[in-house]
Every structure is written in C-alpha cells, then in structure tokens.
Amino acid sequence: MENSNLLAIAEEFGSPVYVYDSEKIVSQYNRLTKAFKKVKQVKLNYAVKALSNLAILKLMNSLGAGLDTVSVQEVKLGLLAGVSPENIIFTPNGVSLEEIEQVSAMGVQINIDNLSILEQFGAKHPNTPVCIRVNPHVMAGGNSKISVGHIDSKFGISIHQIPHILRIVENTGMNINGIHMHTGSDILDIDVFLYASEILFETAKSFKDLDFIDFGSGFKVPYKTGDIETNIEEFGEKLTKRFNKFCASYGKEVTLGFEPGKFLVSEAGYFLANVNVVKQTTSTVFAGIDSGFNHLIRPMFYNSHHEIENISNPKGKERFYSVVGYICETDTFATNRRISEITEGDILAFKNAGAYCFSMASNYNSRYRPAEVLWHNNKAHLIRKRETFEDLTNNQVQVDIFSKVSEPSS
C-alpha cells in the first residue's frame, strides 16, 4: 500500500484505525503453499486468534484455508463466515469438557491437550475422531512468553506420557485421527523445528490410522528493514523430504497440517494514529498519539517491535522521539526512535499490525475500540465500525438501589 492510500483511509474513516492489505495476505498464503508443493496433501488452518474479523475469515475461506480455533466463539465466527465445520479444528487450552462437547456437536475436528479431558471425552464419545496435542519439550521462539513447547508449558501432553495416552485410547476405544504440536512463535532455527518434527513423527508411529499430522506454526516474519525471518522455502524443502519419507514408512498418505496466523496477516496490517501532542521535556521529545495499549498492547506485553513511519512527512528530517499513548498508564510504543520530524496532527503508521493487535484490544480507560478497514482490489472497505458510547454501556444494567445517605442526627 502507498502512503497516499493510508492517508486517504485515515481521512475517510478517522483515527485510530486498523488497515489490512488483502494482496499481502494472499501472497503469504501462496508462498507457504508453494513451499510444500511436493507434499500430496497439505492443509493450512488459519489461526483465528491472530485476527478474527469476519471479512478476514471469508478471505481465508476463499483461498482454501481452514481455521484453527481456540474457543467456541471463534468456531461460531468461522461458521458465520461460511467455513465448513470439517475445515475447522478446535485446539483449546484449559476449557471445560462441556465446551469441547458443544464444539464437537457442530462437526468440528477436536484437538485435546490434557489427559483428564482426553479420558473423559473418550469414555463418553469413543467414536468421535480426536486429535492429540503433544508437548515435545523443545524450547522454540523468541522468549518464554511466546514459546509454548518447553517442559514448563501449560500446553500439550508431555511426550513422556505417551504410554498413558495409549492406555486411555485402549481403555476407551476412542478414535485418534491426528497428532499435533505447536512449539511457539518467531521460530528462526529451522533445525530446532525439524528436531521437534522428528519427535512428532516418532509419536505418530504409536497410532495406526492417522489422517493428519499438524505441525503448528510460529514462523517468524520481518519486523523491520533487513530483519531476519524464517526461511520458509528452505524449511519446506527439508520438511517435505522428511514428511514424504514418513508417509512411505507409515504405509499411508496423511495430510501435512499447519496453522499459521502471524505469518499470513502480520505484514498485511497497518495501525494509523493521529499525533495529539509533541511534548519536549528536559531529556526527551514525546509524540503523544490518540491511542494507547488499549488498542495495541504488543509493545508493552511482548516487547515487540513495530516500525513507525510518519506518513504525513515521510521525507522529513529524522529526529529522535518516544512515541506514547493517551492511556493513564505507561504505554510507550517506542523509545528514542528515529522518525521523520513530527508535528501535531500528523498520522503515524505502525507496521506489522495485522496479527494479535486488534484482537487483543480493549476498552481500558473507557476508550472506544477503533475501526477496521480492508484494502482489497485497490479500494478501502469498512469491515468494522468504530465503537461508540452506546457500545460501552450496551451490556451494563442500570440499577436504582442506592438510597441517599441521610445526615447523621445530632
């Protein structure tokens, strides 16, 4: 997208606003499928939690992607977007048996990550196909907050508990049709991922009639110019050889599954905010914008980096700014960042704002969540309205239960 497109969107729809470029999403989807073109059966299930707008889900469905969901609400969004139940996998963590049964009744593929629920579900629904999420005990990803395959993670069933899993399967007679893992996000070291894959292949041998093996995702995307990223092409070539070899030894062609989220939508997203004030202190120049961590929490929560460009003055002289929000907390997006000279009223564009940005937004400080716009076929389409005061109060119940406190008698 050009800066002129983004500025026009900010002018038409106001700020702050999220903008998504559909062409980039399609490009990333095609890149990933091409990397595994030598595998007979590949299925990409888009991770809904990354960006759950219905328009995005419809776009993924049109590309042929399924959905990876983690809540019954995400499943319902997928169905509302027109995705077939058989193209949705439900991979929750810590949910009740009742929620899993509710989703199962919709015809969605179930993925269970703990022994207790596995045994309870298998005893009640032995004929329902179930995938098992294992924890390979492999530390992958940038830090402990985004690595979920290590030994202390709450996700998955330990590979050391495979005998227990097999005993539950034998006792209940349940139908295991898939094996799954997800080690974390921002995975750069392909060899680490391949090592975890070997663990998954070894685990799969214990189950005789699998339909698919799901390798999760977590591929790193670039966050700034010259940034390193997962080499998808190299990874595709290496894993393809190993996967096809496994299928030959297994005696059956199984589907190779992935559940990309950030990889598909991160780079497609822009977050546009207006500069409310430029504030000079004794040591710092602050650019205060009409947003805060209520709209974009990743820099504060994950210490994530988002390139920030002054699209109102892209060729201006660079100065050092600390970009901060209007929330009554410390909500710093960037510290001493070189940005083209900023004046009040300028529009700043935050890049890599497609994944885990709007979906983690809140109404903290009673602020409205922003609008969302999809840039498709060189045209801006509003896909979520900006919230209003009525949205803040819609579910609140006004009660008249407080009587006036009387003056104490003398």
Side-chain angles (χ1 to χ4, degrees):
M1 296 187 66
E2 301 293 333
N3 285 349
S4 58
N5 304 137
L6 295 172
L7 287 169
I9 288 172
E11 176 69 24
E12 180 178 358
F13 299 102
S15 70
V17 59
Y18 277 100
V19 185
Y20 312 115
D21 182 359
S22 68
E23 184 177 338
K24 182 62 177 179
I25 295 174
V26 173
S27 173
Q28 288 293 92
Y29 181 86
N30 290 337
R31 182 185 171 196
L32 190 53
T33 54
K34 184 179 179 181
F36 292 93
K37 63 183 179 181
K38 293 183 180 179
V39 175
K40 289 185 178 180
Q41 298 169 185
V42 179
K43 185 61 178 293
L44 302 185
N45 292 313
Y46 166 66
V48 176
K49 60 183 176 291
L51 176 58
S52 59
N53 190 288
L54 287 172
I56 301 299
L57 304 187
K58 290 179 179 180
L59 173 59
M60 296 298 178
N61 190 37
S62 73
L63 294 174
L67 299 180
D68 166 57
T69 60
V70 298
S71 69
V72 64
Q73 291 83 2
E74 286 188 351
V75 172
K76 290 180 177 180
L77 284 173
L79 296 174
L80 185 60
V83 182
S84 301
E86 60 268 22
N87 285 329
I88 300 176
I89 185 170
F90 182 52
T91 308
N93 176 257
V95 305
S96 66
L97 175 63
E98 288 73 22
E99 182 170 339
I100 292 177
E101 289 179 320
Q102 183 183 357
V103 171
S104 177
M106 299 175 184
V108 170
Q109 172 69 55
I110 299 300
N111 189 9
I112 296 178
D113 85 331
N114 70 85
L115 293 172
S116 175
I117 296 297
L118 182 69
E119 185 167 11
Q120 293 178 64
F121 188 87
K124 294 181 67 175
H125 311 281
N127 297 321
T128 300
V130 169
C131 176
I132 295 176
R133 176 174 182 172
V134 298
N135 182 343
H137 299 319
V138 174
M139 185 73 174
N143 59 55
S144 60
K145 284 190 175 182
I146 58 177
S147 178
V148 297
H150 56 85
I151 195 167
D152 290 324
S153 173
K154 70 171 185 173
F155 299 95
I157 302 174
S158 169
I159 55 169
H160 301 305
Q161 295 176 306
I162 297 300
H164 198 159
I165 294 175
L166 294 175
R167 186 163 67 249
I168 290 174
V169 172
E170 181 180 359
N171 290 343
T172 61
M174 65 189 304
N175 176 13
I176 304 301
N177 70 332
I179 296 295
H180 167 277
M181 75 168 183
H182 178 62
T183 56
S185 297
D186 285 357
I187 299 171
L188 276 174
D189 193 334
I190 293 174
D191 290 334
V192 172
F193 198 104
L194 292 173
Y195 171 73
S197 300
E198 290 297 332
I199 295 173
L200 199 60
F201 287 134
E202 191 64 31
T203 301
K205 294 178 183 178
S206 300
F207 302 89
K208 304 305 180 185
D209 196 24
L210 297 176
D211 294 324
F212 66 93
I213 300 179
D214 191 328
F215 290 83
S217 183
F219 311 126
K220 187 182 183 306
V221 297
Y223 294 107
K224 51 189 174 183
T225 302
D227 196 10
I228 51 178
E229 60 179 305
T230 305
N231 189 328
I232 291 296
E233 290 71 27
E234 180 185 355
F235 175 62
E237 182 180 349
K238 290 183 176 179
L239 184 59
T240 292
K241 291 179 180 178
R242 185 62 189 89
F243 184 78
N244 288 338
K245 182 179 178 181
F246 168 80
C247 288
S249 64
Y250 191 66
K252 175 184 178 182
E253 288 292 338
V254 298
T255 297
L256 171 62
F258 292 103
E259 46 195 53
K262 185 187 297 183
F263 181 82
L264 295 180
V265 299
S266 177
E267 294 174 273
Y270 300 84
F271 180 57
L272 309 181
N274 182 78
V275 178
N276 284 337
V277 62
V278 177
K279 179 180 180 179
Q280 173 80 58
T281 68
T282 55
S283 60
T284 304
V285 180
F286 291 101
I289 62 174
D290 62 347
S291 182
F293 68 59
N294 55 318
H295 296 153
L296 179 57
I297 198 172
R298 293 186 74 250
M300 284 62 75
F301 192 48
Y302 290 120
N303 196 32
S304 62
H305 179 94
H306 293 264
E307 285 285 274
I308 303 173
E309 182 181 357
N310 182 0
I311 59 175
S312 298
N313 183 30
K315 296 182 180 181
K317 182 179 179 181
E318 291 186 342
R319 297 185 62 192
F320 286 94
Y321 296 92
S322 289
V323 182
V324 296
Y326 62 3
I327 291 297
C328 193
E329 301 278 356
T330 299
D331 55 350
T332 303
F333 296 102
T335 302
N336 291 328
R337 186 81 63 84
R338 289 176 66 94
I339 303 173
S340 297
E341 188 169 12
I342 298 173
T343 57
E344 292 163 3
D346 282 350
I347 298 295
L348 303 186
F350 293 71
K351 299 182 180 180
N352 281 94
Y356 305 101
C357 293
F358 184 93
S359 62
M360 297 179 76
S362 73
N363 292 121
Y364 188 51
N365 280 192
S366 296
R367 295 291 188 178
Y368 310 137
R369 280 179 291 189
E372 290 180 292
V373 171
L374 180 67
W375 181 254
H376 183 66
N377 291 335
N378 294 315
K379 185 178 179 181
H381 303 267
L382 182 68
I383 59 174
R384 188 189 298 269
K385 297 178 181 178
R386 186 178 311 282
E387 289 183 336
T388 65
F389 185 74
E390 287 69 30
D391 293 314
L392 291 182
T393 60
N394 186 46
N395 290 324
Q396 296 191 44
V397 179
Q398 296 197 50
V399 292
D400 187 16
I401 58 175
F402 305 106
S403 58
K404 186 176 181 180
V405 180
S406 60
E407 293 289 334
S409 58
S410 57

